[in-house]
Amino acid sequence: MRLIEPKQKKVKKNSIQMVVDQIRQLLPIGKTDASAEDAIVIRFLKGLDNRFIMLHNLQLEKIGPPFPPILVGPAGLVVLNISSEKGFFKVKEDSWWKMDKTTHRFNPGRPNLIKQSQDYAKKLAVILDAHGKSHPEILPVLIFADPGVHIET
C-alpha cells in the first residue's frame, strides 16, 4: 500500500512550546484518536498490497481538523473513521448507545460514531462533486483501535 501524506510545514517554536510538546509525548492527553489512527494506518501499510493507496492527514477544508484517512483501491473509495473509544456499545439503525460504567445502562453515545462515519462519506462526496470528479459510492467504515470493544447490533 502506498501512503500519501501532505508535507507538514515547519513552524518555529519557542521554548515553552517545545516543553509542552515534550510533555504531550510523555503523557498522551487529548491525542488518543490520533495515536489510534497512526496504529491502524501502520496495520494497513503492513497488510495491503500496492493496489491500494491511503490518503492520510489531508486538509480538504480550509479550516478544521484533517479529514479521516481515505483508502482508494480496487473496491472503490473507503473513508475510515478510526476511534480510540473503549467499552460496550449498542447500535439500533442509526442510533448509537454507550454503556455507562457505573450504572451498566445504555445511554445515547456522544458523538454518534455511526452518523459521524456516514457524514464523513457524504462530505467527501460533496467535495469531489464540487470539483467535478466522478467517483464510485463512498463506503464509510468505523474502526476501533481497541480490540476489547464490544458492539451489540
Side-chain angles (χ1 to χ4, degrees), residues 39-89:
I40 296 297
V41 167
I42 289 170
R43 294 269 177 140
F44 273 93
L45 279 169
K46 291 178 182 177
L48 296 177
D49 61 19
N50 62 0
R51 296 178 300 150
F52 295 89
I53 298 171
M54 181 172 288
L55 307 171
H56 187 241
N57 287 331
L58 291 181
Q59 194 73 33
L60 296 181
E61 298 172 328
K62 293 183 178 161
I63 55 173
F67 205 77
I70 302 166
L71 186 64
V72 182
L77 288 173
V78 179
V79 176
L80 304 174
N81 186 8
I82 300 171
S83 176
S84 62
E85 287 278 341
K86 298 178 181 181
F88 292 86
F89 301 93

Side-chain angles (χ1 to χ4, degrees), residues 33 83 85-86 89-90 94-99 107-116:
D33 277 345
S83 176
E85 287 278 341
K86 298 178 181 181
F89 301 93
K90 186 186 287 189
D94 285 348
S95 64
W96 181 254
W97 301 81
K98 183 174 183 176
M99 182 183 283
N107 299 318
R110 303 275 188 265
N112 181 335
L113 296 176
I114 299 292
K115 185 167 176 12
Q116 184 182 55

Side-chain angles (χ1 to χ4, degrees), residues 123-144:
K123 189 182 291 187
L124 180 58
V126 166
I127 291 170
L128 291 173
D129 290 340
H131 287 90
K133 305 294 181 190
S134 64
H135 57 85
E137 181 180 355
I138 300 170
L139 179 67
V141 175
L142 175 59
I143 299 176
F144 289 93

